[in-house]
Amino acid sequence: MTDDPIAEFLELFRDEANQRLDNMVDTLLAVEAGRAEPNAVDDLFRDAHTIKGGAGMLELEDVRTLAHAVEDVLQGVRDTGSFPRELIDPLLRAADALRGHVAGEAPGSPDLLDELAASRAGVLGTTLPAVTRAERTPATAPGERRAIRVPPQKIDRLLDLVGETVLHRRRLEHVLGEERIATDELVSDELDLGERLFDELKDAAIKMRTLPFSTITGPLPRAVRDIAVAEGKDVELVVRGEETELDRVILESLSEPLVHLLRNAVGHGVETPRERKRAGKPERATVELRAEQRGGSVEVAVADDGRGVAPEVLAEAKSIGSLAEVLARAGFSTAEEVTELSGRGVGFDAVKRHVESFGGTVEARSEPGRGTEIILVLPLALALIEVLLVERGNQAFGIPLANVEEAIAVEDTLMLEGKAALELRGRSVALSDLSELIGATSPPLPGRAPAIVVTAGGRRVAAACDRLLGEDEVVVKPLGALLPSARGYLGAAILGDGRIALLLDPASLTRPATARLRALVAPPRPETERAPSKVLVVEDSYTVRELQRSILEAAGYRVETARDGKEGPERVERDSDIELVITDLEMPEMDGLALTRAIRARAERSSLPVVIVTSRGDETDRARGIEAGADAYMIKRAFDQQTLLETVERLVGR
Amino acid sequence: MRLRVAGESYAVPVEDVLEVAELGEIAPVPGAHGSVLGVRNLRGEVLPVFDLAAVFGIPLDRPPSRLLVAEHGGKRAGFAIDEVTDVGELEAPAEETESAFLRGATLDGGVLVGVVDVERLFSAIEEENA
């Protein structure tokens, strides 16, 4: 924290201005896409106005002048009540210039000022007086966003100390001994209290270490738009899960890989508007960027609704068991011609290696004609992970618990084409000696050796070891600056008794890295391909219907729509693919309750899941819905797409 | 600081030496380069340990027993050595050497001593393990 009040204020102003510029760019893009909120112009005006006000106080003349010019254009828009699209481009460039000015990088921009004045006059046919009307009160009270600035090193130190506390606790348990802990109530009570305090401390420290996904998504819609324009495509970026918290270090290193993936999605994934039209798709393509927490990891996915990868690539992916692996091969590209922007897809390999360097994995899915999805599975926080500890050849190893499917005792070993495999609930899993997987030599395994089933990168492997040591939460320590990229390791952890456990990278365990390793791994089992579930949306409001359609389609469902309940029963009867019905409650002819009852009354489809979505939220309505046989009842007020998708997913059992 | 590695005499500038300790228990890192002995727990920190004789390419006459912890440019590494013989002043290296890890060699009491350049040693190891 600096002691100079002006510098401190400047810093706060920069934060706020950048935040507001992000909002402005988002809003401008929304206006361009024709999906702006009704108050979009007011929002833009307020953002420009607030930036102008702050700049004025701090005597940042370039910022103030330009923000003022932007404000004038927006004032014109407000007065005339129309927002011509020709204004978007100069306004976006003004936002970029403002960002530069705010960072103190760019010089003044007389050209842009002239252009703004000209577009205002030309497009709106108005010349505004030089002085705008009375200054309005900014919507955000000053100080609202004020936060304490802490240098990152201090947070890292705190997290280090938390880590040391874990070690201390393990040592303490070791010193006390299992017996003492089990028999002495005072000791075990105090240890329990310590554990609780430690958990809270750890959570608090990790929260300081994480940042919301939105921290890096701000410039992306704009970047996608620019790439799309350069490629002659029409693409909208939809960002979901912006509130998802990610490790700061991971998050900050993610911008570049994400831009690369988005570039690939726009360049290689989606088709030109003409091709899309021919294929019967909406001309405007959608690229979805989403982040969501799943247990101990966070998934960040880039999904496009484009052409999907070539069939021969899919075939190759099937034969080696991983699409991500095929895509990562240098020189690979899904585009028929290599465009200037997308390069040759070489960068995907770099993205994959980057993600794997901090213990993440990359998965890929693609369906011809429907699109491609790249999923980065990232650890929630870098410093602490939960591992399963195992022993092999007198040495301890840790595998992230998130990647361990189960631990089993090896009894019946199958031989598949001369390779060892295990039968696990009807599926065969390649079985290897852990020691061989990591390239070590160890004494032979004991009889009935335990094996852990590790999943990563869409593949599974069972690794046999001498014994299981149990689960533990450990502090990940690097192997040292001189061993930066020891292949196959996430780092090392120091255990309670002082021993070192090497932390194994699950992705490299499951990856058939060399020909020798490849020979050990059984052929991948073909995934049973299943068409996406089909959902029938019954809703009389066009907007709501299309909203639900787009949410469901973006999540990979096939969607049919009907405008009234009376169409429902027949559609369900006719189309046996329909696996779920989402219905509005109030509709002109047959309402949602009657529809639900009608479905329940038909013997063949009587168990079809039905979700009622309504604006009526009181208990009697809910009770009536459930009584009619609905499986779920959602209130439009509380309606958010995550809940909808979770409900649908649960009911169709995907 | 003068030390013996696989029977030969070497010297390391004292400012690059953090400490000398027992070699202790070292966890091997399977798959790593040949000169990597493994990693060791040094008071709660993970320290990579290298076989100095292997780095220098000289055959071992007996297993090393001591650990020299060197630090340079913010990087830290342990080296397995036979023993530290003494600490004291040494004449600046008079002889140029071909070695990638030595600053040079100097005659001290009739014994040829190789003066280790820790910076170059570190970067050679880094390259090897990249």
Side-chain angles (χ1 to χ4, degrees):
Chain A
M1 170 86 63
T2 165
D3 289 331
D4 178 354
I6 295 290
E8 190 186 317
F9 199 74
L10 193 59
E11 194 77 348
L12 285 172
F13 167 72
R14 283 188 178 136
D15 276 0
E16 163 151 28
N18 281 323
Q19 181 66 49
R20 287 188 181 272
L21 286 167
D22 287 347
N23 292 345
M24 289 180 74
V25 170
D26 284 348
T27 311
L28 286 168
L29 292 177
V31 170
E32 190 179 50
R35 54 171 172 76
E37 304 283 330
N39 51 354
V41 179
D42 288 339
D43 288 347
L44 286 169
F45 189 89
R46 196 166 52 238
D47 287 331
H49 184 85
T50 309
I51 293 172
K52 188 185 82 173
M57 268 176 4
L58 289 163
E59 296 173 356
L60 302 169
E61 200 47 36
D62 284 343
V63 179
R64 200 197 62 80
T65 324
L66 188 52
H68 185 91
V70 169
E71 204 185 39
D72 275 353
V73 174
L74 293 166
Q75 181 69 54
V77 170
R78 266 224 295 225
D79 291 347
T80 59
S82 83
F83 203 147
R85 281 188 164 211
E86 297 89 302
L87 283 178
I88 304 284
D89 206 53
L91 285 173
L92 281 173
R93 275 185 286 121
D96 287 347
L98 277 172
R99 209 185 290 274
H101 292 339
V102 167
E105 285 161 3
S109 39
D111 295 353
L112 196 52
L113 286 174
D114 290 347
E115 194 185 341
L116 284 174
S119 36
R120 184 190 69 205
V123 177
L124 302 168
T126 53
T127 24
L128 286 163
V131 183
T132 51
R133 61 185 184 187
E135 303 283 290
R136 295 148 34 102
T137 330
T140 314
E144 208 173 89
R145 287 188 65 249
R146 188 166 288 233
I148 302 169
R149 268 164 204 290
V150 181
Q153 300 88 325
K154 288 196 180 171
I155 298 177
D156 288 351
R157 175 72 190 134
L158 181 66
L159 214 63
D160 264 359
L161 285 172
V162 171
E164 299 300 324
T165 316
V166 185
L167 290 182
H168 174 254
R169 189 186 162 76
R170 302 279 171 264
R171 276 201 300 274
L172 191 61
E173 283 171 5
H174 193 72
V175 169
L176 288 167
E178 275 174 36
E179 200 191 316
R180 176 95 190 270
I181 297 171
T183 52
D184 191 330
E185 206 172 305
L186 187 62
V187 168
S188 68
D189 280 356
E190 287 302 316
L191 279 177
D192 285 348
L193 175 64
E195 180 104 42
R196 274 206 305 280
L197 289 173
F198 165 74
D199 280 345
E200 281 182 35
L201 176 64
K202 182 192 71 189
D203 288 347
I206 286 180
K207 281 220 178 75
M208 290 172 76
R209 171 77 185 243
T210 57
L211 285 174
F213 189 48
S214 58
T215 319
I216 61 162
T217 55
L220 297 177
R222 176 69 197 282
V224 166
R225 172 193 179 271
D226 291 350
I227 298 167
V229 168
E231 297 256 342
K233 290 175 180 172
D234 188 3
V235 182
E236 182 183 7
L237 178 70
V238 179
V239 183
R240 300 189 204 280
E242 291 190 285
E243 68 292 340
T244 310
E245 298 270 328
L246 277 101
D247 184 276
R248 187 163 44 80
V249 175
I250 296 178
L251 190 67
E252 280 165 4
S253 72
L254 220 50
S255 285
E256 210 180 310
L258 284 183
V259 169
H260 182 85
L261 293 178
L262 291 170
R263 209 173 268 271
N264 264 357
V266 174
H268 299 308
V270 305
E271 315 88 331
T272 59
R274 189 191 297 199
E275 285 174 280
R276 291 180 66 87
K277 198 172 179 187
R278 257 204 312 268
K281 292 175 164 186
E283 288 180 35
R284 162 168 290 230
T286 306
V287 173
E288 183 187 87
L289 172 65
R290 64 162 202 277
E292 60 185 314
Q293 190 178 334
R294 297 216 166 183
S297 43
V298 178
E299 286 188 10
V300 174
V302 173
D304 65 63
D305 63 351
R307 58 170 75 94
V309 301
E312 58 268 27
V313 174
L314 274 187
E316 171 74 1
K318 218 169 198 177
S319 82
I320 72 162
S322 162
L323 178 58
E325 203 80 34
V326 181
L327 293 178
R329 284 185 195 155
F332 172 75
S333 165
T334 54
E336 285 154 28
E337 56 206 284
V338 174
T339 62
E340 188 196 328
L341 269 172
S342 308
R344 288 176 160 55
V346 181
F348 187 78
D349 181 44
V351 171
K352 190 160 173 289
R353 268 185 287 126
H354 175 72
V355 168
E356 286 170 359
S357 73
F358 43 70
T361 54
V362 177
E363 290 164 23
R365 283 199 281 265
S366 186
E367 208 182 317
R370 298 189 69 91
T372 305
E373 182 173 28
I374 309 291
I375 305 159
L376 314 181
V377 185
L378 309 164
L380 188 56
L382 267 187
L384 282 168
I385 59 170
E386 291 198 10
V387 294
L388 178 68
L389 293 168
V390 302
E391 196 175 74
R392 179 72 185 106
N394 257 325
Q395 209 180 336
F397 297 96
I399 296 110
L401 212 49
N403 298 83
V404 178
E405 207 163 86
E406 60 184 312
I408 45 170
V410 178
E411 285 176 63
D412 300 316
T413 310
L414 287 173
M415 291 306 282
L416 271 182
E417 298 171 22
K419 293 149 201 159
L422 280 176
E423 179 88 7
L424 263 186
R425 282 177 296 279
R427 296 193 296 180
S428 80
V429 181
L431 172 68
S432 301
D433 182 344
L434 178 65
S435 186
E436 284 174 40
L437 283 177
I438 60 175
T441 38
S442 304
L445 284 159
R448 285 185 48 102
I452 45 171
V453 180
V454 180
T455 57
R459 278 193 299 242
R460 304 202 293 174
V461 65
C465 50
D466 296 330
R467 61 191 182 106
L468 305 179
L469 300 175
E471 299 175 13
D472 205 347
E473 184 163 43
V474 297
V475 185
V476 183
K477 302 212 175 228
L479 292 183
L482 295 189
L483 276 180
S485 57
R487 267 166 213 276
Y489 300 99
L490 303 176
I494 294 175
L495 306 180
D497 58 4
R499 269 217 295 176
I500 283 188
L502 289 170
L503 304 178
L504 303 174
D505 175 4
S508 90
L509 285 182
T510 59
R511 180 193 307 138
T514 64
R516 184 185 60 80
L517 278 180
R518 206 166 187 164
L520 288 169
V521 180
R525 59 213 152 71
E527 288 278 350
T528 43
E529 292 288 336
R530 208 186 131 187
S533 306
K534 192 186 269 188
V535 175
L536 176 66
V537 171
V538 188
E539 167 69 61
D540 59 337
S541 149
Y542 173 78
T543 321
V544 176
R545 198 164 65 226
E546 289 309 306
L547 175 72
Q548 292 182 353
R549 179 210 288 278
S550 70
I551 292 170
L552 290 164
E553 284 185 345
Y557 294 95
R558 289 182 291 161
V559 179
E560 293 280 317
T561 58
R563 269 174 295 184
D564 192 89
K566 73 173 172 32
E567 294 176 41
E570 193 213 342
R571 295 278 288 275
V572 165
E573 195 102 318
R574 213 175 46 211
D575 188 347
S576 61
D577 274 8
I578 294 174
E579 291 180 43
L580 180 126
V581 175
I582 297 179
T583 175
D584 187 16
L585 189 59
E586 290 158 309
M587 284 177 292
E589 294 191 47
M590 182 192 262
D591 71 11
L593 292 177
L595 170 62
T596 309
R597 281 191 218 102
I599 290 171
R600 291 287 171 264
R602 306 216 166 193
E604 279 160 48
R605 308 300 310 271
S606 65
S607 61
L608 188 68
V610 177
V611 179
I612 295 183
V613 180
T614 172
S615 48
R616 281 201 216 155
D618 67 53
E619 273 309 307
T620 40
D621 286 318
R622 183 186 293 266
R624 282 172 57 213
I626 299 300
E627 204 177 296
D631 295 273
Y633 194 90
M634 297 175 63
I635 314 299
K636 274 180 195 161
R637 206 171 344 106
F639 176 81
D640 71 280
Q641 35 180 295
Q642 197 55 39
T643 320
L644 175 74
L645 289 176
E646 276 166 15
T647 308
V648 171
E649 193 173 316
R650 177 168 57 82
L651 290 173
V652 299
R654 288 222 309 185
Chain B
M1 179 178 292
R2 281 181 58 174
L3 35 112
R4 222 172 47 234
V5 180
E8 296 185 5
S9 238
Y10 289 90
V12 177
V14 185
E15 63 265 25
D16 290 335
V17 178
L18 216 58
E19 67 177 288
V20 177
E22 285 296 317
L23 193 52
E25 196 186 327
I26 291 173
V29 178
H33 192 273
S35 67
V36 180
L37 279 181
V39 285
R40 182 192 194 278
N41 172 7
L42 186 73
R43 285 185 300 279
E45 287 302 318
V46 174
L47 181 79
V49 180
F50 301 88
D51 182 348
L52 202 50
V55 176
F56 290 162
I58 44 181
L60 278 178
D61 55 350
R62 59 182 166 133
S65 59
R66 305 285 286 170
L67 177 77
L68 175 115
V69 184
E71 190 176 52
H72 191 95
K75 293 169 183 171
R76 198 178 285 190
F79 294 96
I81 58 170
D82 292 348
E83 61 175 341
V84 171
T85 46
D86 64 75
V87 179
E89 297 276 324
L90 195 69
E91 274 185 44
E95 312 277 325
E96 288 287 317
T97 62
E98 297 282 303
S99 163
F101 322 108
L102 299 183
R103 233 182 245 180
T106 186
L107 265 179
D108 186 55
V111 181
L112 192 67
V113 180
V115 181
V116 177
D117 183 329
V118 176
E119 187 174 339
R120 281 201 261 167
L121 176 64
F122 276 17
S123 45
I125 290 173
E126 265 177 301
E127 254 167 54
E128 216 174 62
N129 290 290

